[in-house]
Amino acid sequence: MKIAIVGAGSAAFSIAWIRDLCVMASAPGSTFSLVDVNEDRLEAAYGLAKRYAKELGVDIHFEKSTDRRSAFQGAQYVINTAFPGGHDYTEKMRAIGEEHGYYRGIDSVEFNFVSDYYTILGFKQYQLALDIAFDMEEVCPDAFLLQVANPIYEVTTLLKREKSKIKTIGFCDEYIGIYPLMMALDLSPADVAFQVAGFNHCIWLTRFRDKNSGADLYPVIDDWVGNKAPEFWRTTELGLWQETLSPASADMYKMYGLYPIGDTTRSFTWKYHYNLETAKKWFGHLGGTDSEIGLELRLQRFQAGVDKLFRLTNDPNAKLTDEVPPQKGRSEFSDFIDASETGEEKRLFLNIPNKGLLTQFPEDQSVELPVIVSKGGRMNPERVEPFPKRLVDFVLLPRMIRMEWGLEAFRTGSREMLVEILVRDPRTKSEKQARDAIDAILAIPENSDMSKHYA
Amino acid sequence: MKIAIVGAGSAAFSIAWIRDLCVMASAPGSTFSLVDVNEDRLEAAYGLAKRYAKELGVDIHFEKSTDRRSAFQGAQYVINTAFPGGHDYTEKMRAIGEEHGYYRGIDSVEFNFVSDYYTILGFKQYQLALDIAFDMEEVCPDAFLLQVANPIYEVTTLLKREKSKIKTIGFCDEYIGIYPLMMALDLSPADVAFQVAGFNHCIWLTRFRDKNSGADLYPVIDDWVGNKAPEFWRTTELGLWQETLSPASADMYKMYGLYPIGDTTRSFTWKYHYNLETAKKWFGHLGGTDSEIGLELRLQRFQAGVDKLFRLTNDPNAKLTDEVPPQKGRSEFSDFIDASETGEEKRLFLNIPNKGLLTQFPEDQSVELPVIVSKGGRMNPERVEPFPKRLVDFVLLPRMIRMEWGLEAFRTGSREMLVEILVRDPRTKSEKQARDAIDAILAIPENSDMSKHYA
């Protein structure tokens, strides 16, 4: 079995993910081929991965390359975790947006506040994913493309439409927001049967039952929201990635009838994001994952991850399995590969083509829902009940439409459409403001490829 | 044959509409029952209608009543043209909206700039239409409800969902915007086969062909937009209701691939409506139908219509058939009744339940499209090709979603949802601003019924 990992040197592809792949039951005897355009980071990740496997005593053959096509030779799985440009690029574009009157940048938009995400400026991510899929069609057409890099909803939908032969699956661990919620509700995960579904970064608790009696547990949420949450919010400092427990999530639940899980509040309107003061009210002292404070903290953590990578690289005596214990972590792409290889069924939360799964939405887009994965990557998606109509009309359809706008602009290469999308942004006061912002962003050297595409 | 007309004393129900009903082939021997809550206006309309029929020498029995249920007895058709509160009420609410930072009022919103229209404040129109349908179910359950009063998209959809037994059809004459367009294009209507379809106030030229050769005539539009329109706009002062010929319509066509007809530009974003200066750029010197200038002119015309009603009433020597010549005008409800009664087929542009007609949209809403109407009100809708995807995603779905928001707020009676809808408005800078505006509007005496509904 061979896995190619594109973006293996990126900060996101941490040592924890190396660990998750190394501890797979199917890992022994396999080949992991690491790919990155940054040779230093690639070298560091390659060295650590080899050391980790050696400490673990598991027989894995490692390769490294800056050329993905050679890495794809004979691969059954390609993991895409690359983030072209990285956060420096994102922050540079955010700054240009702010100069033109777009607080938090032009890509922090209604129904998509994910800061390293692209609605308008998805160009590099879309293009890279298409290029990878194109190469896979030529080199390893039967391999699975496991898309880990954002924007997962957009990219997996785009690939299904443009490169339908490649089996693409999107991975995101935001569903785990259910666990701190169960803890707050004083429920033991062992006693709960839950289902979470929707679109990536916009997922909802579609089933919440007592595993034994089958009783609906939503009344426990109602009790928490109505009676206990105010005290919880007064006494708890919400950290990063704790949106599930935030006043914003409770507010959305009260209005839309299903509880939002993970960072779903990032797929909403400016109501929770107008300014830092508002964000603090709704997400606690950090103002949530995408605020000025939250994002700064995240960037610090990313940098600390990179620093650690190099520190451990430069310290041959460090014991990696002490740093990152050899227990399976939260990556689901390793679970997918393991289920596919060993045939041991796993229930995973995947982004896959809709094809009649969520009947209230078109078939030619991705949806996120639980899937039973078995031998050979066979997938049995769970049945999901229709969402409440108001949730569809107020959140899911508006979110879906933004995906369509971004992909249509990319597909047509129309700069006018980029402007038109930005005209629809509540921060825009005139067409000229939108036009100037788009022009300024496309004019920077890092965006020469994008400027050519949107000629 | 009996027709009941609710709102017969309203300014909208002009002497031209009385004429249209009187000249129907099916009019002789029938009964027209006029209903209004305003006794003075009802008396005036009743007197004029009787005189008009008498001048024409056609035998029509007229009734008048302030009680609609008595008028519904034995009716086969109920026309609803009532506008509760009228423009004074609308303008009062617009002023409160402007006081709270909502330029043009809280109901002049993206994808719905129609000034006498209600997205958030549809309460009175929705309630009246439901009450009429309720009375019809009891008194004349087999009659057609011909909805002429706005908001037609919302009201006809609501009635289909809530009062599905009543056959409701929405009428709007905006499709006639195709005629000035053909004139500008130097095309003779006799030589053109056209089709217009979409949602009310959001309709598109879905077919435009030479009647004889079958050749597509869109290239003629392309030539006009690309070469001749700039000169046309330089030399022509666009009047009210000439949106079809405006730079805004040409702009929408270029972006979305089908030409918008009638006042479809009113179902778009703030791009064309930011302020009067912007509106003048896109709609000419009046700034279009909904600008400060355009609306003022419309209100003057409405008032002139009412004044004329009373002037003619007070002048028994006036010859009404000189004032309004007895040729069929542009009302389509009279065409519908005539086709239904005589069996002479007519092609009309109607708002009817979707039921698989426009396949890109849910079935349980209204759509506007050409229908062949024949004996007994039998309707054969034309087949409409799917709309371009970008038109669906950028205009039609956003417009549809607003309809759903308005109806969901009404259905649930949730004031929080009114606030939530307004939070999504680009003019809103804080949740408090939206909340204060809603509270202020619901607090006026005229809205005591609405305030109770949205408790």
Side-chain angles (χ1 to χ4, degrees):
Chain A
M1 186 256 293
K2 181 177 177 183
I3 307 170
I5 302 149
V6 181
S10 74
F13 192 72
S14 63
I15 195 161
W17 284 2
I18 291 176
R19 182 264 323 266
D20 288 351
L21 289 170
C22 288
V23 300
M24 293 190 303
S26 56
S30 64
T31 297
F32 294 177
S33 191
L34 278 55
V35 181
D36 208 289
V37 290
N38 183 318
E39 291 189 48
D40 289 345
R41 287 212 194 162
L42 176 62
E43 187 62 42
Y46 173 73
L48 290 173
K50 276 182 80 163
R51 276 168 62 189
Y52 198 93
K54 193 174 174 194
E55 279 187 33
L56 215 58
V58 58
D59 167 38
I60 298 170
H61 175 64
F62 287 94
E63 299 173 354
K64 64 183 163 76
S65 174
T66 54
D67 168 37
R68 64 173 174 260
R69 287 175 72 98
S70 66
F72 290 175
Q73 293 287 352
Q76 287 88 45
Y77 305 94
V78 172
I79 300 171
N80 179 17
T81 177
F83 183 26
H87 289 287
D88 289 347
Y89 169 68
T90 312
E91 293 311 298
K92 187 167 179 179
M93 292 210 286
R94 186 194 311 280
I96 299 172
E98 296 213 324
E99 280 166 27
H100 286 81
Y102 294 95
Y103 172 61
R104 309 303 293 137
I106 71 166
D107 271 319
S108 286
V109 296
E110 286 185 311
F111 303 106
N112 196 355
F113 286 91
V114 182
S115 295
D116 53 356
Y117 210 115
Y118 295 99
T119 303
I120 297 185
L121 303 178
F123 177 76
K124 286 181 202 289
Q125 294 292 67
Y126 302 157
Q127 196 58 61
L128 176 65
L130 281 176
D131 289 347
I132 288 172
F134 180 82
D135 288 345
M136 288 177 67
E137 280 183 355
E138 301 212 330
V139 180
C140 56
D142 296 327
F144 285 95
L145 174 53
L146 311 184
Q147 177 75 24
V148 180
N150 273 326
I152 286 168
Y153 181 31
E154 278 78 2
V155 165
T156 54
T157 298
L158 172 70
L159 290 179
K160 186 65 206 163
R161 291 179 183 175
E162 304 285 328
K163 294 280 167 193
S164 59
K165 277 176 286 184
I166 297 299
K167 295 169 285 185
T168 305
I169 301 160
F171 291 86
C172 182
D173 61 9
E174 284 299 328
Y175 78 94
I176 62 171
I178 187 73
Y179 290 99
L181 179 64
M182 287 191 283
M183 194 180 296
L185 299 175
D186 222 2
L187 291 170
S188 163
D191 298 332
V192 176
F194 72 87
Q195 185 189 61
V196 171
F199 308 146
N200 183 235
H201 294 299
C202 188
I203 51 176
W204 304 81
L205 187 56
T206 45
R207 197 190 302 146
F208 197 49
R209 297 209 192 112
D210 185 291
K211 203 178 255 174
N212 308 304
S213 71
D216 183 20
L217 291 174
Y218 256 99
V220 183
I221 296 181
D222 293 335
D223 178 48
W224 185 75
V225 168
N227 303 314
K228 296 167 189 163
E231 175 66 13
F232 173 83
W233 294 322
R234 257 195 308 278
T235 55
T236 312
E237 288 209 330
L238 290 176
L240 283 183
W241 310 113
Q242 293 201 301
E243 276 86 355
T244 311
L245 297 176
S246 69
S249 288
D251 190 59
M252 289 178 85
Y253 166 54
K254 282 189 274 187
M255 182 63 85
Y256 301 113
L258 287 183
Y259 204 93
I261 299 299
D263 61 358
T264 297
T265 54
R266 295 159 93 190
S267 286
F268 199 65
T269 71
W270 283 96
K271 178 178 180 183
Y272 308 135
H273 302 271
Y274 287 122
N275 47 47
L276 185 56
E277 188 194 339
T278 305
K280 283 182 174 180
K281 177 185 156 194
W282 289 109
F283 300 108
H285 72 299
L286 296 181
T289 302
D290 300 297
S291 79
E292 296 87 325
I293 303 173
L295 181 60
E296 178 59 33
L297 195 56
R298 284 165 58 208
L299 294 181
Q300 285 169 13
R301 288 195 190 173
F302 271 120
Q303 190 54 49
V306 175
D307 292 346
K308 187 174 179 180
L309 217 62
F310 284 105
R311 179 175 56 77
L312 293 172
T313 298
N314 295 329
D315 177 5
N317 296 319
K319 200 166 172 231
L320 301 184
T321 44
D322 283 351
E323 297 280 342
V324 184
Q327 308 128 2
K328 169 72 181 68
R330 33 191 256 196
S331 80
E332 296 228 310
F333 54 82
S334 59
D335 286 323
F336 180 88
I337 294 170
D338 228 15
S340 175
E341 291 297 311
T342 67
E344 191 196 333
E345 290 192 353
K346 289 186 203 255
R347 181 177 187 248
L348 305 176
F349 291 80
L350 305 180
N351 290 270
I352 59 174
N354 189 21
K355 296 219 175 157
L357 298 174
L358 303 189
T359 55
Q360 292 151 304
F361 307 101
E363 303 214 336
D364 66 339
Q365 61 160 311
S366 287
V367 293
E368 184 168 318
L369 78 177
V371 177
I372 304 295
V373 180
S374 53
K375 188 76 184 172
R378 189 181 148 79
M379 294 186 276
N380 280 313
E382 280 183 17
R383 180 180 155 71
V384 177
E385 294 295 315
F387 293 94
K389 181 164 170 52
R390 70 168 75 174
L391 182 56
V392 171
D393 293 329
F394 278 82
V395 186
L396 290 161
L397 277 184
R399 174 65 190 93
M400 181 193 92
I401 285 173
R402 283 217 158 260
M403 175 274 288
E404 295 291 358
W405 294 356
L407 292 190
E408 180 70 1
F410 175 72
R411 190 183 70 78
T412 57
S414 161
R415 187 179 292 216
E416 282 305 305
M417 195 164 285
L418 292 185
V419 173
E420 178 58 45
I421 293 170
L422 198 52
V423 159
R424 291 150 184 260
D425 188 293
R427 296 164 299 179
T428 297
K429 301 289 159 270
S430 71
E431 193 186 334
K432 183 174 184 306
Q433 179 193 1
R435 198 170 292 281
D436 289 348
I438 294 292
D439 285 348
I441 283 170
L442 293 187
I444 65 172
E446 295 91 325
N447 283 337
S448 60
D449 51 352
M450 197 174 155
S451 183
K452 206 168 148 190
H453 182 78
Y454 293 105
Chain B
M1 186 257 292
K2 181 178 178 182
I3 306 170
I5 302 150
V6 181
S10 73
F13 193 73
S14 63
I15 196 162
W17 284 3
I18 291 174
R19 179 266 321 266
D20 287 350
L21 289 170
C22 287
V23 299
M24 293 190 302
S26 56
S30 63
T31 297
F32 295 177
S33 191
L34 279 53
V35 181
D36 207 291
V37 290
N38 183 318
E39 290 190 50
D40 290 346
R41 287 213 195 161
L42 176 63
E43 187 62 42
Y46 172 73
L48 290 174
K50 277 181 77 162
R51 276 168 60 189
Y52 199 94
K54 193 173 173 194
E55 279 186 32
L56 214 57
V58 58
D59 168 36
I60 298 170
H61 174 65
F62 288 94
E63 299 173 355
K64 63 182 165 76
S65 174
T66 54
D67 168 37
R68 65 174 173 257
R69 288 175 70 97
S70 67
F72 289 175
Q73 293 286 352
Q76 288 88 43
Y77 306 95
V78 172
I79 300 170
N80 179 18
T81 176
F83 184 26
H87 289 287
D88 289 347
Y89 169 70
T90 312
E91 292 311 298
K92 186 167 179 178
M93 291 209 288
R94 186 193 311 279
I96 299 172
E98 297 213 323
E99 281 166 27
H100 286 80
Y102 295 94
Y103 172 61
R104 308 303 294 139
I106 70 166
D107 272 317
S108 286
V109 296
E110 287 183 310
F111 303 105
N112 196 355
F113 286 90
V114 183
S115 295
D116 54 356
Y117 211 114
Y118 295 98
T119 302
I120 298 186
L121 303 177
F123 177 75
K124 287 182 200 289
Q125 294 292 68
Y126 302 157
Q127 196 58 61
L128 176 65
L130 281 176
D131 289 348
I132 288 172
F134 180 82
D135 288 345
M136 287 176 68
E137 279 184 356
E138 301 212 330
V139 180
C140 56
D142 296 326
F144 286 95
L145 174 53
L146 312 183
Q147 178 74 23
V148 179
N150 274 326
I152 286 168
Y153 182 31
E154 277 78 2
V155 165
T156 55
T157 298
L158 172 70
L159 289 179
K160 186 65 205 164
R161 291 179 183 175
E162 304 285 329
K163 294 281 169 192
S164 59
K165 277 177 288 186
I166 297 299
K167 295 169 286 185
T168 305
I169 301 159
F171 292 86
C172 181
D173 60 11
E174 284 298 330
Y175 77 95
I176 62 170
I178 186 72
Y179 290 99
L181 178 64
M182 288 190 283
M183 195 179 298
L185 299 176
D186 222 3
L187 292 170
S188 164
D191 299 330
V192 176
F194 72 88
Q195 184 189 61
V196 171
F199 309 146
N200 184 233
H201 295 298
C202 188
I203 51 176
W204 304 81
L205 188 56
T206 46
R207 197 190 304 146
F208 196 49
R209 298 210 191 111
D210 184 290
K211 203 178 256 175
N212 308 306
S213 71
D216 184 19
L217 291 174
Y218 257 98
V220 183
I221 297 180
D222 294 334
D223 177 49
W224 186 74
V225 168
N227 303 313
K228 297 168 188 162
E231 175 66 13
F232 173 83
W233 294 322
R234 257 195 306 277
T235 55
T236 312
E237 288 209 329
L238 290 176
L240 284 181
W241 309 113
Q242 293 200 299
E243 275 87 353
T244 310
L245 296 176
S246 69
S249 289
D251 190 60
M252 289 178 84
Y253 165 55
K254 281 188 276 187
M255 183 64 85
Y256 301 112
L258 288 183
Y259 204 93
I261 299 298
D263 60 359
T264 296
T265 54
R266 294 159 93 189
S267 287
F268 199 64
T269 70
W270 283 96
K271 178 179 179 183
Y272 308 135
H273 302 272
Y274 286 122
N275 47 47
L276 186 56
E277 187 193 340
T278 305
K280 283 182 175 180
K281 177 187 157 193
W282 289 109
F283 300 108
H285 72 299
L286 296 181
T289 303
D290 300 297
S291 79
E292 296 87 325
I293 302 172
L295 181 61
E296 178 60 32
L297 195 58
R298 285 164 57 207
L299 295 181
Q300 285 171 13
R301 287 196 191 173
F302 271 120
Q303 190 54 48
V306 175
D307 291 348
K308 186 175 181 181
L309 217 63
F310 284 106
R311 180 175 57 76
L312 293 173
T313 298
N314 295 328
D315 176 5
N317 297 320
K319 198 164 175 232
L320 301 184
T321 44
D322 283 352
E323 297 280 343
V324 183
Q327 308 127 2
K328 170 72 181 68
R330 33 191 254 194
S331 80
E332 296 229 310
F333 54 82
S334 60
D335 286 323
F336 180 89
I337 295 170
D338 228 14
S340 174
E341 290 297 311
T342 67
E344 190 196 334
E345 290 191 352
K346 287 186 206 257
R347 182 178 188 248
L348 305 176
F349 291 79
L350 305 181
N351 290 269
I352 59 173
N354 189 20
K355 296 216 174 159
L357 298 174
L358 303 189
T359 55
Q360 292 150 305
F361 306 101
E363 302 214 337
D364 66 339
Q365 62 160 311
S366 286
V367 292
E368 185 167 317
L369 79 176
V371 177
I372 305 294
V373 180
S374 53
K375 188 76 183 172
R378 190 181 149 77
M379 293 186 277
N380 281 312
E382 280 183 15
R383 180 181 156 70
V384 177
E385 293 295 315
F387 294 94
K389 181 165 169 54
R390 70 168 74 176
L391 182 57
V392 172
D393 292 329
F394 278 82
V395 186
L396 290 160
L397 278 183
R399 175 65 190 92
M400 182 193 93
I401 285 173
R402 285 218 158 260
M403 174 275 288
E404 295 291 358
W405 294 355
L407 293 190
E408 181 71 2
F410 176 72
R411 190 184 69 80
T412 56
S414 161
R415 187 180 292 215
E416 282 305 305
M417 195 164 285
L418 293 185
V419 174
E420 178 58 43
I421 292 171
L422 198 52
V423 159
R424 290 150 184 260
D425 188 293
R427 295 164 299 179
T428 298
K429 301 290 159 270
S430 72
E431 193 185 334
K432 183 175 184 305
Q433 179 193 1
R435 198 170 291 280
D436 288 350
I438 295 292
D439 285 349
I441 283 170
L442 293 188
I444 65 171
E446 295 92 325
N447 283 336
S448 60
D449 51 351
M450 197 175 155
S451 183
K452 207 167 147 189
H453 182 76
Y454 293 105

